[in-house]
Structures are given as C-alpha cells and as structure tokens.
Amino acid sequence: MTATVSNFYYGAVTPVTAYLMACLGAGLGLRCTTRSLRRPHRRAGWLALGAISIGCGIWTMHFIAMIGFSVQGALVSYDTTRTVLSLAVAIAVVAIGVFLVGYRGSSPVNLGVAGTVTGLGVAAMHYLGMAAIHTNGDLNYDTQTVALSVVIAVAAATAALWAAVSIHSLWSSLGASLVMGLAVTGMHYTGMAAVSVHVTGQAASSQSSTSLVSFLLVMLAGPLIVLLIAAVIVMFDPDMMLGDDERDRATAAPYGSGTGFPVQQPAPPSQPYTTR
C-alpha cells in the first residue's frame, strides 16, 4: 500500500526554521570567506570556519525540515551512523569547493568544477540522510524529480561559491545569504517531492513521534553549537565591529588622499647658525 507522505506535519514551523538555518550558515560562510581574502596569512583558518558554517547550516536545514516528515501508517526512525556520516559529507564537500575558490580564484573553469563537486556532494548528503531512515515500508524515488534536485544543488553551490569570493560588503552578503538559503531549502523540498513510501508491515507500537523528534534534536545540538561559536567569532571580529567603510578609512588613514603613499610631513624649519 502506498502511504500518504507529508513534509509539513508541524505546519510552517519546520520549513521556516530550516530556511533560517540555511541562511545563517550561508551568511557566516560568506563573511568568513571575505575575511580569508583580506587576511592571506590566516586564509586556511577562515576558509575552514566558512566551510564548517555552510556545511552545518545545510545539514541543520535538512534535518530540521525532516522533523516535519511523516508517513501515514508508518513510524520513522533514523540510523545514527548514517546520520552523522551525512554531516561529515556536507562539511567535506563544502570545504573542497570553498578551498578551491579561496586559493585558485573564481575563473569560470575553477568555479564550475568547485560548484559541481560541492553540489553533487550536497545532493549526496541529502540522499544519504534519507538512506538513514528506517520505517515499515520501502522508500521509492521519482528519477526526474531527483535529477532536478541535483541540478538545483549544483546551481545553488556554484552561486554560493561565486558569492563567497565576489561579494564583500555586509549588506550584500546578507542579501546573498537569503537567496542561497532559498536555493538550498528549495533543493531539499524538491528532493522530498520525489519520495513515495510503500508500507509493507505494521508500525512498531513501542515507537513514537516524540522519540523521533527527541533523537533529531539531540543530533542537531552539536551543529547548532558550532554555528553559535562561528557566529560569535564573526561578530567580534574587528572587520565586523568597524564595518567595511570604517575599516577602509582606518587602513587609508596614514596615506595621502588617493596616492597610496604615506603623506610626507614637512621638515621643521632649520635654525640659523650663529656664532658668539
């Protein structure tokens, strides 16, 4: 029997929260990448923090959205190992893309390679997370809808990596993060639209939806803490405290107006030499 599948069991709460987490991870990743370009001596550290932020944001978005996933006549649980592995995949593939554009630039070829690798990795994270589902039924996927979700993932990843090395101002980064969050969340729900479940047995009476939500909340705790730490680091960084304009003025203060060279201070007037 094919069961009725819903992705909005708790209404708009899960999709809105998932979208906001995707935006948070994208925004932190963009600001970290901006700092890596301004500080070459700390580039690897900032790129790593950016990759972790984006990866955790995408993964957190996915599993917050999955809280609203329900199958009529079946109870759902998750395999812990595959769930954690999907988090590692998300961070690893984002790191590949971020480090490629961070060190090799945003040429069309490099951006295309980095975006494709990252997008395919994000799609792999999504479907690995789906493979972690245990239920009294078989999950089936519509091939065309799955292919569409992969295309969206690649396009979203490419746009995100381009924005990471091309958009530097605070407000532009915030706007880009909203668009990126929409793209990543759209990829998730497109992938979920491909899912159908054929129930093959009775649900175990010992399971409950409350235990499922509790499991997902425990799994989400670690990435949420990481995102909080990343947010604190970014917020208290001098670039954020000053702002882009103030930082540029502070950097340019010892220099002549538009010359790029230090201002030459006039020497004090020489005193006439007198003898007694």
Side-chain angles (χ1 to χ4, degrees):
M1 178 184 70
T2 301
T4 301
V5 177
S6 173
N7 290 296
F8 308 102
Y9 184 78
Y10 296 99
V13 174
T14 49
V16 171
T17 306
Y19 169 69
L20 293 176
M21 295 310 302
C23 292
L24 175 61
L28 291 173
L30 289 177
R31 299 311 293 169
C32 289
T33 307
T34 296
R35 283 153 177 73
S36 75
L37 299 176
R38 290 174 179 168
R39 302 172 184 176
H41 60 293
R42 297 181 179 176
R43 180 168 297 177
W46 281 112
L47 290 176
L49 183 61
I52 292 171
S53 298
I54 297 174
C56 286
I58 294 173
W59 188 89
T60 302
M61 174 279 302
H62 172 80
F63 279 99
I64 287 178
M66 290 306 295
I67 292 176
F69 176 72
S70 66
V71 180
Q72 184 181 25
L75 290 172
V76 177
S77 62
Y78 287 86
D79 178 80
T80 303
T81 302
R82 290 182 181 179
T83 302
V84 174
L85 180 60
S86 67
L87 173 60
V89 168
I91 295 174
V93 297
V94 172
I96 292 172
V98 166
F99 273 82
L100 276 175
V101 297
Y103 279 98
R104 299 181 63 87
S106 58
S107 66
V109 173
N110 190 57
L111 190 61
V113 171
T116 301
V117 171
T118 303
L120 292 176
V122 170
M125 178 279 299
H126 173 87
Y127 290 106
L128 181 58
M130 294 300 295
I133 291 178
H134 291 164
T135 186
N136 55 310
D138 298 323
L139 271 66
N140 302 303
Y141 295 91
D142 178 74
T143 304
Q144 292 182 341
T145 309
V146 169
L148 177 60
S149 72
V150 174
V151 171
I152 294 174
V154 172
T158 304
L161 294 173
W162 173 85
V165 294
S166 304
I167 297 177
H168 304 306
S169 69
L170 175 60
W171 293 110
S172 297
S173 296
L174 290 177
S177 68
L178 295 178
V179 176
M180 289 161 56
L182 182 62
V184 172
T185 308
M187 176 269 161
H188 170 84
Y189 283 105
T190 301
M192 295 307 297
V195 177
S196 61
V197 179
H198 182 75
V199 178
T200 57
Q202 295 294 323
S205 59
S206 60
Q207 293 179 315
S208 69
S209 59
T210 303
S211 63
L212 171 62
V213 173
S214 299
F215 168 80
L216 289 176
L217 290 177
V218 170
M219 297 299 294
L220 288 166
L224 287 173
I225 292 172
V226 171
L227 288 172
L228 177 61
I229 294 172
V232 170
I233 293 172
V234 170
M235 287 297 296
F236 286 95
D237 184 72
D239 279 358
M240 178 66 78
M241 299 297 286
L242 288 175
D244 295 326
D245 295 336
E246 290 81 355
R247 178 193 58 79
D248 293 338
R249 285 197 294 269
T251 303
Y255 295 88
S257 177
T259 65
F261 296 96
V263 175
Q264 191 73 26
Q265 298 295 334
S270 58
Q271 296 297 325
Y273 179 78
T274 61
T275 60
R276 295 183 183 273

